[in-house]
Every structure is written in structure tokens, then in C-alpha cells.
Amino acid sequence: MKYYDKLIFELSKSGRTGYSLPSKVSDKDSLPSSGNLWRQSSLGLPEVSELDVVRHYTNLSQMNFGVDTGFYPLGSCTMKYNPKINEEIVGQFNGIHPLQPLETVRGCAEVYEGIDAALASVTGMKHFTFEPCAGAHGELTGLMLMREYHFSRGDMGRTKVIVPDSAHGTNPASAAVCGLEIVEVKSKADGLIDVEDLKPLLGPDIAGIMMTNPNTLGLFERDIKEIAALVHDCGGLLYYDGANMNPLIGVVRPGDMGFDIMHLNLHKSFSTPHGGGGPGSGPVGVADKLVNLLPRYDKGVEKSESGIRVSGFHGNFGVILRAYAYLLMLGRENVRMAGKLATLGANYIKESLKDCYKLPIPTVCKHEFVFDGLVNDGAREGVAGATTLDVAKRLLDYGFHAPTIYFPLLFHQAIMIEPTETESLETLDAFIEVMRKIAAEAAEDPELLHSAPHATPISRPDETMAARQPKLTWFA
């Protein structure tokens, strides 16, 4: 461990200070002597110099991986570069407050109207609400609208939603939170929805179907028009999970496929900051027949007839503004190039590595694809083979973030890779070279991978324990 990898508490020396406070405070700032407002014991804060504090937090920041520091091929999450001009534009709006009178924030209202029109044009939806603050929040909002649509017509018996077996995990979770029963539809060997498996599931109890297109294998659902007709004929609605919208922007629209409700991840497809728990934005768009139920504002006046509200205000304005700047910067003539380049990059990586990693569905993909572990994992008598987790951990030693692993659940050793359009050919080639090197290491010395990573501050923490029982304080 390097000296400054130590926790700041470990650097503490009695008597050192990195700050100065006024020797006296005025009477009006003093706390009353009565009551329980006075602390009776020391806070136990570390005693360090200002320089130690600066180095401590600077070093902590350098331990974090982000898209500004390296390649982040996280499948199904579209971790693309966030243009810095977006940050500059948002900085011009730092002084606003959500409780300001409408007449003082006409520019913000214009942003909402502009991005609503832009997203409607890109998706084929009629209007959007910007209240949802994340993708899963958008899913829940869309499902609430789905239920409200059926209720508003007096159709109270639609209690089930169909979810493909390749769906994002948030889909069935959101449906369950919304009080809907989940019915699973199977995929065929080619990774697409089995229409014959879908047909017997349809009936008067079906509220709708949730789909991602391209799906989580990165494959376009070619039978989407037939699926839409079948679901609509039984009285259900189609919900589009917009997590994989990136390859379709400017090329094909969910509204034209037959979808009635959709959410978009502005923090994925539209280049706004992503990760670390937020901020996010998951606006929900609807077809014309559901617009009256949408929780939205038009020139400051609430237009919703459903009473659905999922946010106290109008969503994360800074994220929405960044996405609008991104769309305006690219323009209608250039926005479609993003998905085409992302698709080209994904197929380039796939074809370059398919001799080293198992490719369960050997077909052209869209923006992402899935391997099913190594072709040669080095397993032999008395020696365990290298797993997908081992590959992911070893990548960290070479300075790359790991792809999504063990998802989708259709493949036991899934490695899901999405390069996005913002990565250069040189970066993709470097990633391919490292993935090939790791495959060779696995074949020759799988133990090297079992013990990876070797060059990170910590190696293999118990991630489940860290999530369920986090230790947020330090004690000697």
C-alpha cells in the first residue's frame, strides 16, 4: 500500500490542523446553554494538515473509474462520453430554483417544450413527461399509465404484464411494484421472442407487454409488427424500455413499431452523466390515445387527467438540459450517425474476438452483443478454469472497466459488451488486444486470473456484503 492510500484517520497525528476558525463567535450565533444542543464529547475527527486532506481526497478521486478516464464497455448501459459543452450550458442555469414563479423562468419552460418536441420527433410518441428521475422510475410511471388507461375505460380485469425472458431486471421489478402479475414469454434459439410462445399468453387479463428493441442480446426483434398486432388485438398495450434506444435514434422509431408507452434514459442515449446513483432522467412518452393521462405541464398549466405524480417538480432539469444541448448540437442530419457507429464498433469487437470467446448467437448485432465465456478457460485435472468473473477482474489490471457480466441470464457465463459510438478505432483495438491477451493467459495460467486484479487498491471484496451491510464509518 502506498502511503497516501491509507485512510485519512490513519494519517492523523495529535495536534495537527488543516483549518482555522474565528476565536470568538457573536452572541447571536451562539447556541443556548440549556437543552441537548451542546456536544458532550469529541467528534473524533482526524487531525491532519490541509495538504494531507487535499492529497487524501485527490487520491480517492483517482481510484474511481469513469468514462472520462477510460473505456467503459458496459453492456446495456450505453456509457458514452459526455460533451463538456453540455456542462458549460448547464452552468448558465445554476441560479434557478424550482419554486420560482413561471414568468421568471421562461427559458426553462422553453427548454421543456423544445426537448418534448425533439424526443417526440425521434421516437414517434406524441408527448413526454419529464418527472421520472431514472429509467426504472420511468418504467414505473409508464406502467402506472398503462393501468390507468385500462381503468379509465372501465376495464378492471387486466392484471398481468408479459415480460420476455431476456428483459432487463428492472422490468419485472417495476411491474411487481405496480401491482401487476408477471408472465414470462420465452426466447427462441436465435435470441428473439418466440411468437408462438406469446400467442397462448394473450387474453382479457393482459395489460400489456414490456419489450426492449434491440433486446438485451443486442438483436432487433424482427417480428415486432406481428407482436404489436397480437397484443393490440387482445386489448393490451406495448411498453418500450428505452435503455437500448441508442442504435435506433434517427433510424427507426418505437412509435412506428406499434409501441404505446416508452421511457428514455437521457443519461444513456443522450450523453448526460451516468453512474454513481445519479443524477438521472427517465422521461416517459406516450401515443396520442394516452396523452390526457400523462403528468405534464404545458406553459405552466398541469394537463394530466390521471392525477399521477411521480416527482415534486419537473424532473432533473440539469440532465434534461444537457440532453437537449446534445440533440441540438448533433441536429437531425447527424444524430443518426451515433447509432450506426455504435453498431459498427460492436460488430467489429465481436468479430475480432469470436475465436477466443464463445459466441452463442453468431449473427449481426446492433450496439451490443453477448459472449458466453472463454473458448479455452484453461481447465484441466486439478485446475479450475477461468470464469467470466475472472476475465472481468483481470481487465482492471489493464486499465479497462469490465463489461456487464452474468447478464442476460440466458447464458451461464455471459459477457455483455457495448462500445458506444464515442470510442476511437485505436481504443477498440487496444481493448481487443487485451481481451485476446487475457484469453491466452486463461489457457496457459488460469490461476493468474483467479487472483486478479493485482494492480488495484483492493482486490476482490465481498460485493454482496458491501451492498447489504456497508461499513460507512471507520474505527481503529
Side-chain angles (χ1 to χ4, degrees):
M1 175 185 286
K2 301 195 297 281
Y3 177 71
Y4 280 103
D5 284 343
K6 294 181 178 180
L7 292 170
I8 197 166
F9 288 92
E10 297 174 275
L11 303 178
S12 177
K13 296 293 180 183
S14 179
R16 289 184 182 171
T17 59
Y19 65 91
S20 61
L21 294 175
S23 57
K24 288 185 177 182
V25 292
S26 63
D27 291 339
K28 68 179 181 180
D29 293 327
S30 298
L31 293 172
S33 57
S34 60
N36 298 320
L37 298 177
W38 286 95
R39 173 174 286 279
Q40 301 301 314
S41 60
S42 169
L43 272 174
L45 296 175
E47 298 178 71
V48 292
S49 71
E50 178 180 331
L51 180 57
D52 281 339
V53 172
V54 169
R55 285 177 176 166
H56 170 72
Y57 284 106
T58 300
N59 277 279
L60 280 182
S61 72
Q62 292 172 343
M63 292 180 187
N64 195 30
F65 196 101
V67 76
D68 285 356
T69 59
F71 183 34
Y72 213 134
L74 199 62
S76 216
C77 275
T78 313
M79 300 290 284
K80 67 170 72 174
Y81 171 69
N82 311 140
K84 296 302 172 269
I85 190 173
N86 297 356
E87 305 301 318
E88 294 181 25
I89 291 169
V90 170
Q92 306 305 310
F93 287 75
N94 282 344
I96 62 170
H97 191 280
L99 294 179
Q100 283 182 236
L102 179 64
E103 59 268 19
T104 68
V105 285
R106 291 293 181 187
C108 299
E110 188 174 327
V111 167
Y112 280 108
E113 292 170 14
I115 193 169
D116 184 19
L119 295 181
S121 175
V122 163
T123 63
M125 296 289 113
K126 184 67 175 180
H127 280 297
F128 278 80
T129 176
F130 293 90
E131 286 189 13
C133 296
H137 202 197
E139 288 177 24
L140 180 62
T141 305
L143 289 164
M144 291 167 69
L145 290 166
M146 183 183 288
R147 295 203 70 177
E148 187 63 26
Y149 170 77
H150 293 305
F151 289 166
S152 69
R153 299 180 300 111
D155 192 348
M156 313 300 287
R158 296 186 180 273
T159 58
K160 298 179 180 178
V161 64
I162 298 171
V163 180
D165 58 4
S166 63
H168 290 119
T170 49
N171 287 182
S174 297
V177 169
C178 202
L180 292 162
E181 181 182 341
I182 295 92
V183 179
E184 185 178 83
V185 61
K186 300 295 184 184
S187 299
K188 298 178 294 184
D190 63 2
L192 304 179
I193 286 178
D194 188 339
V195 176
E196 295 307 311
D197 188 60
L198 172 66
K199 290 177 180 178
L201 304 179
L202 300 171
D205 57 351
I206 294 299
I209 185 172
M210 300 183 78
M211 289 179 62
T212 306
N213 197 19
N215 63 25
T216 47
L217 298 173
L219 306 175
F220 190 86
E221 296 282 357
R222 295 191 299 271
D223 297 323
I224 184 59
K225 297 296 285 186
E226 182 181 0
I227 292 169
L230 288 168
V231 175
H232 284 150
D233 285 347
C234 88
L237 299 178
L238 274 77
Y239 180 93
Y240 183 88
D241 180 337
N244 288 358
M245 183 68 189
N246 198 50
L248 301 190
I249 297 171
V251 179
V252 64
R253 309 191 307 175
D256 298 334
M257 299 179 209
F259 286 94
D260 305 290
I261 308 170
M262 68 174 296
H263 86 267
L264 288 169
N265 298 75
L266 297 189
H267 51 287
K268 292 185 182 181
S269 305
F270 299 93
S271 85
T272 65
H274 183 185
S281 181
V284 171
V286 295
D288 191 61
K289 63 185 177 184
L290 287 96
V291 166
N292 63 312
L293 303 174
L294 197 64
R296 71 185 190 93
Y297 286 76
D298 185 3
K299 295 179 171 59
V301 179
E302 188 171 6
K303 295 292 186 180
S304 174
E305 296 176 11
S306 66
I308 293 173
R309 293 297 303 276
V310 296
S311 177
F313 298 103
H314 307 314
N316 286 324
F317 178 73
V319 178
I320 293 161
L321 179 56
R322 287 177 176 92
Y324 190 37
Y326 173 78
L327 281 166
L328 292 178
M329 182 171 58
L330 287 179
R332 186 185 300 271
E333 65 278 11
N334 292 317
V335 71
R336 66 174 55 202
M337 288 304 298
K340 290 183 176 183
L341 290 171
T343 297
L344 179 63
N347 281 280
Y348 178 65
I349 294 175
K350 172 174 64 69
E351 293 299 311
S352 299
L353 292 175
K354 66 181 183 181
D355 61 322
C356 302
Y357 295 84
K358 298 174 187 174
L359 184 61
I361 302 178
T363 186
V364 173
C365 65
K366 295 304 177 190
H367 63 306
E368 64 189 4
F369 63 93
V370 181
F371 285 131
D372 189 14
L374 289 149
V375 169
N376 183 357
D377 63 8
R380 51 191 179 275
E381 186 176 353
V383 178
T387 65
T388 282
L389 177 63
D390 294 330
V391 172
K393 293 295 186 181
R394 184 61 172 151
L395 265 170
L396 304 181
D397 284 331
Y398 289 103
F400 289 109
H401 196 281
T404 299
I405 60 173
Y406 300 120
F407 179 81
L409 303 179
L410 296 174
F411 305 114
H412 183 60
Q413 291 291 331
I415 305 173
M416 192 179 193
I417 297 173
E418 178 182 355
T420 82
E421 73 279 4
T422 54
E423 299 298 339
S424 68
L425 176 62
E426 290 76 16
T427 297
L428 300 186
D429 282 340
F431 177 72
I432 290 166
E433 180 184 355
V434 165
M435 286 290 282
R436 296 188 70 84
K437 185 179 294 186
I438 291 172
E441 292 173 345
E444 298 163 6
D445 183 11
E447 185 55 41
L448 179 66
L449 273 66
H450 295 329
S451 55
H454 308 282
T456 54
I458 58 173
S459 183
R460 295 202 183 192
D462 185 329
E463 296 172 4
T464 302
M465 187 68 72
R468 293 183 176 178
Q469 298 181 26
K471 294 183 179 180
L472 304 178
T473 55
W474 186 86
F475 296 98

